[in-house]
């Protein structure tokens, strides 16, 4: 199995954490999340993963509320979607999160 893990900084207080594992070229595990530094702590804002055996998106608020949305996608497609979504929308997600909302 091959694993890749990295962090991409967007600004000094926003970053994307990316992890995926492949087996024979197929994605078998993944996690991509946007993290915002708030009061010297990194907080998860949006996370895509397959932790429960299916692809899904978790959105968080500053107060810790969480909303889960199931993605009816193969892991490979969900991984591509998650990378693209966070790359394209991180600034909007950050603003909503800091304003007390949920992305």
């Amino acid at each position: 199995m091959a694993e890749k893990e990295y962090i991409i900084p967007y600004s000094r207080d926003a970053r994307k954490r990316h992890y995926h594992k492949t087996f024979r070229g197929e994605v078998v595990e993944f996690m991509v999340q946007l993290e915002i530094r708030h009061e010297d702590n990194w907080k998860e804002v949006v996370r895509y993963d397959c932790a429960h055996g299916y692809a899904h998106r978790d959105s968080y608020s500053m107060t810790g509320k969480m909303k889960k949305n199931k993605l009816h996608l193969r892991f490979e497609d969900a991984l591509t979607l998650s990378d693209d979504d966070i790359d394209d929308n991180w600034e909007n997600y950050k603003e909503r999160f800091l304003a007390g909302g949920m992305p």
Side-chain angles (χ1 to χ4, degrees):
M1 285 200 207
E3 291 183 73
K4 288 192 179 184
E5 186 170 4
Y6 52 86
I7 294 174
I8 296 177
Y10 293 123
S11 67
R12 66 175 193 60
D13 61 350
R15 66 187 184 188
K16 177 174 71 173
R17 182 180 301 275
H18 176 112
Y19 167 82
H20 74 268
K21 184 187 298 186
T22 58
F23 180 70
R24 296 184 180 168
E26 185 175 326
V27 176
V28 294
E29 190 176 330
F30 76 94
M31 186 281 304
V32 180
Q33 75 180 18
L34 173 63
E35 301 172 345
I36 301 297
R37 185 180 6 225
H38 182 260
E39 297 178 352
D40 291 329
N41 293 309
W42 287 100
K43 305 227 180 216
E44 54 198 4
V45 176
V46 175
R47 180 177 60 234
Y48 290 85
D49 65 33
C50 59
H52 305 288
Y54 60 92
H56 61 278
R57 178 185 194 259
D58 296 329
S59 300
Y60 297 88
S61 73
M62 283 279 258
T63 60
K65 290 182 184 178
M66 190 265 288
K67 178 180 171 187
K68 183 180 299 296
N69 291 316
K70 187 172 184 178
L71 303 173
H72 300 280
L73 298 170
R74 296 178 319 133
F75 289 175
E76 181 176 337
D77 296 331
L79 176 62
T80 300
L81 170 73
S82 63
D83 261 335
D84 292 345
D85 179 49
I86 291 174
D87 283 346
D88 294 343
N89 298 299
W90 71 270
E91 291 170 299
N92 291 332
Y93 293 160
K94 176 185 168 183
E95 286 177 24
R96 281 192 226 156
F97 180 78
L98 293 174
M102 194 177 292

